[in-house]
Amino acid sequence: MTQPSHATHLVADVLDKQIVDAKKVKLGKVDGLVIVLREGKPPRVAFVESGTAVVARRLGRWCERLVLALNRRLGVRAEPRYRIPWSKVTEVDIEVTVDVDEHPLLAWEEWLREHIVGRIPFAK
Amino acid sequence: MNVELLIGRKVFDESGRALGRIEEVLAIEQGSDLVVSEFHVGAGGLAERLSAYRLGHVRKPKRIPWQELDLSDPEKPVWRKR
């Protein structure tokens, strides 16, 4: 079977790649890809996932549970997994460009700025 | 189902023989959707993913079309040749 010229290697070309928005602001990494199985049809790539819980799940269920517990304790994000519909992905190159308006992926950075960096003397 | 959790899973044929591990998933555009077309299995698939094409002795990946890979049990994918 020959590969179509426009085929995408989901592991080599998409997974673990940097996610950026249209302004090239870094939003995180592609930590996961969700495919939907369909009866009689090829599986469809549905979402790009990002977040510490997604990465932790790759290491094992115990790691995912630990990360979820930490997230609840620290209260950084309402949801430790962020899903971007594949329809919002506009380009797959060295980076994965997405068309999103909200940036909850930057919640950890904002938390660190508010709770740690902002309290360093003369930081402001 | 998550692609990153499928990677590394051993694929078995219907007789229970191990064929190799899922190393890559190929997708193509179908209308406005991106759909899975093939799963690449085995050492050849890993070499492809690492762009290790210069390792001349590495075999080409075993390509399994989407309709031939039974993912009803994601922990144990089965190749059902058609």
Side-chain angles (χ1 to χ4, degrees):
Chain A
M1 180 185 295
T2 56
Q3 294 176 198
S5 58
H6 55 274
T8 302
H9 293 75
L10 295 181
V11 179
D13 295 341
V14 184
L15 199 60
D16 297 327
K17 289 292 186 291
Q18 180 71 55
I19 303 173
V20 296
D21 68 3
K23 297 178 182 176
K24 298 298 180 186
V25 173
K26 294 180 182 177
L27 301 178
K29 295 281 180 80
V30 178
D31 298 318
L33 281 168
V34 178
I35 58 174
V36 174
L37 300 182
R38 304 180 295 176
E39 188 68 35
K41 293 181 182 180
R44 182 177 64 87
V45 179
F47 298 97
V48 166
E49 280 193 324
S50 187
T52 48
V54 182
V55 177
R57 185 177 53 201
R58 293 164 75 172
L59 297 175
R61 289 287 180 191
W62 65 270
C63 195
E64 182 187 19
R65 285 195 294 269
L66 176 63
V67 167
L68 290 174
L70 277 173
N71 187 77
R72 279 193 301 270
R73 175 70 179 85
L74 297 175
V76 176
R77 280 192 204 164
E79 179 55 58
R81 294 184 193 88
Y82 185 59
R83 281 187 169 184
I84 302 172
W86 185 260
S87 57
K88 295 286 188 180
V89 174
T90 57
E91 184 183 3
V92 174
D93 197 351
I94 296 174
E95 300 162 327
V96 175
T97 306
V98 296
D99 177 24
V100 291
D101 296 323
E102 299 173 348
H103 293 171
L105 289 165
L106 299 177
W108 268 106
E109 285 78 3
E110 290 168 8
W111 187 92
L112 284 170
R113 189 181 303 121
E114 182 181 336
H115 293 85
I116 306 289
V117 177
R119 295 180 182 181
I120 298 173
F122 309 112
K124 294 182 182 177
Chain B
M1 182 174 298
N2 286 75
V3 169
E4 69 279 7
L5 299 180
L6 274 180
I7 298 307
R9 293 269 183 233
K10 268 190 187 175
V11 176
F12 299 86
D13 63 13
E14 289 176 293
S15 63
R17 186 174 63 100
L19 301 175
R21 297 179 186 271
I22 297 176
E23 298 292 351
E24 181 62 270
V25 182
L26 214 64
I28 56 172
E29 290 180 14
Q30 199 174 75
S32 58
D33 292 337
L34 188 71
V35 299
V36 173
S37 61
E38 295 178 342
F39 296 89
H40 291 184
V41 173
L46 180 59
E48 175 192 35
R49 177 153 59 102
L50 300 176
S51 300
Y53 302 116
R54 293 190 181 274
L55 296 177
H57 64 283
V58 177
R59 294 187 299 272
K60 290 190 184 301
K62 178 167 183 59
R63 294 175 177 173
I64 299 178
W66 68 269
Q67 60 268 43
E68 293 184 9
L69 191 65
D70 181 0
L71 292 171
S72 52
D73 181 0
E75 304 266 327
K76 194 179 177 186
V78 176
W79 176 41
R80 301 193 189 283
K81 188 176 171 67
R82 299 190 182 187

